[in-house]
Structures are given as structure tokens and as C-alpha cells.
Amino acid sequence: MLDLLQLTGKQRQFVDLSQHQQTVASLRSLCAQAGFDFNFINGFLRSGALDGYVQWQEHSQQTWVLTAKGEEVDGVLPGFPLVERLLQGIGDRATLQAELGTAFSLNYGALRREQAVDLVDGDGEGVVAVLKSSVLGAYQQRQGVFKAIAAGQVLDGSASSSLEWLQQQGYIVSRVETDYSLTVLPALHTLELGDVVTTLTSDLILSGQWRQADLKPYDIHAEVPDVAYGRPTILTQCIQRIRDIFLNMGFDEMSGYMVESAFWNFDALFTPQDHPAREVQDTFYLANPQTLPLPEDAALVQRVRQVHEANYGGQWTEAEASRAILRAHTTTSTARRLHQLQGKDGKYFSIDRVFRNETVDRTHLAEFHQIEGVVVGELLSVRTLMGYLTYFYERLGFKDLKFKPTYNPYTEPSLEVFAYHPPSDRYIEVGNSGLFRQEMLEPLGCGEKSTVAWGLGLERIAMLLYGIEKLSDLIGPDIKL
Ligand code: PHE
């Protein structure tokens, strides 16, 4: 059975055309006339799809095609332009030479070789005399046959002497071609082809006509060309993976601002105003805007001032706290969130970009990403912190962690995190963490709470996961990865 819905557009056209015939003498000619690719229709027939509708008989036939030499002469046999003129009675050499130009000698040579012409004395430069007019006639025929072959026409038997000559001269060669004659059977004549909808339009849907329409089904097994599609970079894939891990651990995602005030980056984090990290060697200060407003919560600013002046002595200035910077860590987002929470419990993470005025080398860039996290609750301890970090890194496949005491102005205790890297048989620093100090939590309104928090390097993780040695392999225009 012919599956009408599965026919391609061309196959339908062919079926449609065949329905209106009784017999087809040459499938090749039919294809040439109707604009079908013969090989495609040949395959359609041989697939058996038309069995019972069309009978076909294979026969081979000899055809002719132009050789390279035949292609070269551009449709005009050498000799023929002279033949045309001689037949018009133009024999004067000077005239012929003027009309044919440099091609004159080529044309003359061609006819001379068959002893059809000769140069005889006459007025001026002489006259081309015709010795054998039969050759001129033969040339006319040869030219006609040659043109027909060039145009791909099928020849009848009458051209045999011209064909022989053209072949001898090397203008054409013969080729044996398979062709088919078809007999169209009654089953095809009575077949209802109908209309098949190949494109479902909004009109069809809105009007409800799709209910009646024969819809062409998708062939999900059809061969399709490979498409070079876009895909996320390694870094984006890592971000997605890490985001999933934290979401599955019940964390909510938070975000902040790349341009921040020193207040949120340093002062709210109990970092003294003369701390070395605040110097221009480490932090990018903005020229425009040079300052940002301090928080509207004046009491917050007041509490921060008090805790700084009480612990570090000297004078805490709003001018220093107002300076606009590119955030140097994402703990700014955490500080803002703690202030919002005002003592409520929660678990938050962010994966965001930070900026530091670092010397750029194979493992350092002036901008990178941090995986920030904070848990606000009761009775959280160093054990809690190590538990969260161990669980997180295990999800990524880092089984072996080490923690090392360190110092941050805003956490106590503080732990650096190292992950074992089998290829180099070393522990590599992957992050920093700790429990926020009272001096930080109290001004933000979370003095009753305990917290664990961390800031981890995203690029470090990506480099370890994908065995990358240079940051420039991970980031930037080189996308071999
Ligand atoms: N902000 C720290 C850094 O940039 C990381 C950190 C976050 C440490 C939270 C402790 C707590 O390295």
C-alpha cells in the first residue's frame, strides 16, 4: 500500500504526474521535462513504494556526451562559421578574414583537411573555392547533431554518420544509460491523492480546519544534517551545576551589586578603615561615581561606626565608607541579606563576579567568580561549616578536603579550604570560610544568631574539574574547550 502521508513533496508530484499517463516510454525524458532528479525517482521506483501502481521495465540505451574538447568549442564546431559563409556565397578571402578574424585560419584548416576547399587567385588576396560541397552539407548536419547533444536531447538513428565523425574528432563519447519504460496500472489512476498539510499554520488551528486536514507526520528517523549549535561555556556549565547543588540543599539564591559602597564591602564586615585590603593596590575605586549613598537605615550606620570606633579606636568616617568600588567579594550580598533578615533563619547562596586589583597571570585574573554561602540559625559550629563544605565538594567529586585556620576581620574562627587534586598529588586552595563575628552580626540586626559562611573560587573548581592549567583556556575568546 502506498502511504500517501509519508510521501515527500517531490514524490507526490511524481505520483500526481504519473496518474495522468498510460505509459511512459522513457523515464529519463519524463524527468528531464518535468524537472525531477532521475536518480531520486529511480530510487523511489526501486523502493517498491509504487508496486501495484506502476509496472516498470528497465532498458539500457546508448547516449552521447561532450568530451572536454567538445565542451571547449562552446557549441560551434571549428569550420562551421566558414561553411555558413561559403554557403551564402561569400568566398572573398579579404572579406572572410575581416569577418572571422583570427579564427579564419582555424576554420580554413578544418575544411582544408577534408579537401573541401582551396585558395585560388582572384582579386586582391584571392578567393576560397569550394571543392566538395558535400562536405559543407555534412558540416551543417554535424553542427546540428553536436548542438543537440550539448543540449542533452535524445537522438534518433538518422544522425549516425555525424555521430561517427564527431566521435572520431574527439568531440563526443558514447555512454550506456539505464532507462525505464513505465506502464501505469489502474490502481494508480483511481488513487485519491488528496491534499496533505505539511505546515500547520495558525490559520488552520484557529479555523479548526486542522481537524479535517491530512497532516504529514514527522519522520523522526529521517537523516538530518549536523548542526553546529551553540552551547554553554564550561564556566556556565559549572555555575549551573553548583547552583543545582545548593538549590537541592535547600538554599535560596541571592544577588547583589557589582558596583558597591565600601560600606557594604568593608565596614559592614568589620574591616577597619585602614585595613591593607582597602588600598588601591587591592581594590578598584571608581572615578564615576566617586561615592554612593550610605544605607537609609541611619541606625545601622551608627552601630557600625560604634563597633569600629570601640574596637579599632580612631575615627570612623562616612567619607571613607561612601567610596564607590567594584565589589571585592560577594560577602557584600551576604551582609545586605543579613540586614534584611533581621534575625530570621535562612540559607542563601550566590555565584557572582568580583573584582580585585591583582597582577594577571596564568592562574589569576582581575575579575573572577565567587560561590558565596551563608546559613543563619542557632548553635551553628565549625562542625556545621565543615559539614556543609564537605557535602558540597563531594557532590562535585572532591572527596578529600583539608581545613586550615586563617584570619578574616569578620569571621572567627576562619578556615581556608583545600581540596585534593589527584593529577598533581597536591591540596589546592579552593575557598575561605568562617563563622561571622558578633561585631559584624550585631550591627546588621542578627546579634542573636549564629552563622556559618563561605566564599569559594568558581574558576578554581572549573580548572580542577576539567584539568585546565591556564585561566585563559577557560575564559576569553579561545573556545577550544
Ligand atoms: N569573603 C571571603 C573572601 O573573599 C570569603 C569568605 C566569605 C570568608 C564568608 C568567610 C565567610 O575570600
Side-chain angles (χ1 to χ4, degrees), residues 328-331 356 370 372-373 408 410-411 432-434 436 453-455:
H329 53 191
T330 42
T331 316
R356 287 187 197 169
Q370 280 190 325
E372 193 77 20
N408 296 310
Y410 41 94
T411 49
N432 184 359
S433 66
F436 287 130
W454 53 82

Side-chain angles (χ1 to χ4, degrees), residues 8 90 103 118 439 443:
T8 68
I90 305 170
D118 200 5
E439 292 88 339

Side-chain angles (χ1 to χ4, degrees), residues 361-379:
D361 64 25
R362 42 195 295 132
T363 54
H364 292 90
L365 282 181
E367 50 179 287
F368 54 95
H369 293 81
Q370 280 190 325
I371 305 156
E372 193 77 20
V374 61
V375 180
V376 187
E378 320 280 336
L379 298 175

